[in-house]
């Protein structure tokens, strides 16, 4: 049950992470505003996911890339702590 709960949290978080990353890429990483890139990324991701026939592929790619970004972030924390 715990593994399923963690998996569902990771699925939800992966979409948020990729949306934030897309928003930062489009707005050149504006450090003063953290909510604006996330909001822009969420809107873009929402629109792309709701396109018929393409939405499933976009959702799958967002989850896979989001999992990769989360894994890189966790690995970076792990390496910093071990040094």
């Amino acid at each position: 049950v715990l593994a399923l709960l963690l998996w569902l949290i990771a699925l939800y978080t992966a979409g948020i992470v990729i949306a934030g990353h897309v928003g930062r890429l489009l707005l050149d990483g504006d450090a003063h505003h953290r909510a604006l890139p996330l909001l822009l990324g969420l809107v873009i991701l929402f629109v792309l996911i709701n396109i018929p026939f393409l939405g499933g592929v976009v959702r799958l790619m967002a989850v896979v890339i989001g999992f990769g970004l989360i894994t890189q972030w966790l690995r970076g924390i792990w390496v910093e702590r071990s040094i």
Side-chain angles (χ1 to χ4, degrees), residues 24-47:
R24 281 192 306 272
L25 285 174
L26 292 175
L27 294 179
D28 295 329
D30 188 11
H32 299 294
H33 303 285
R34 293 183 182 175
L36 186 61
L38 178 62
L39 182 63
L40 177 65
L42 285 172
V43 168
I44 291 171
L45 192 62
F46 178 78
V47 168

Side-chain angles (χ1 to χ4, degrees), residues 68-83:
L69 290 172
I70 291 170
T71 304
Q72 284 182 338
W73 176 69
L74 289 174
R75 186 175 184 271
I77 291 174
W78 184 273
V79 169
E80 286 178 6
R81 284 189 164 196
S82 66
I83 294 177

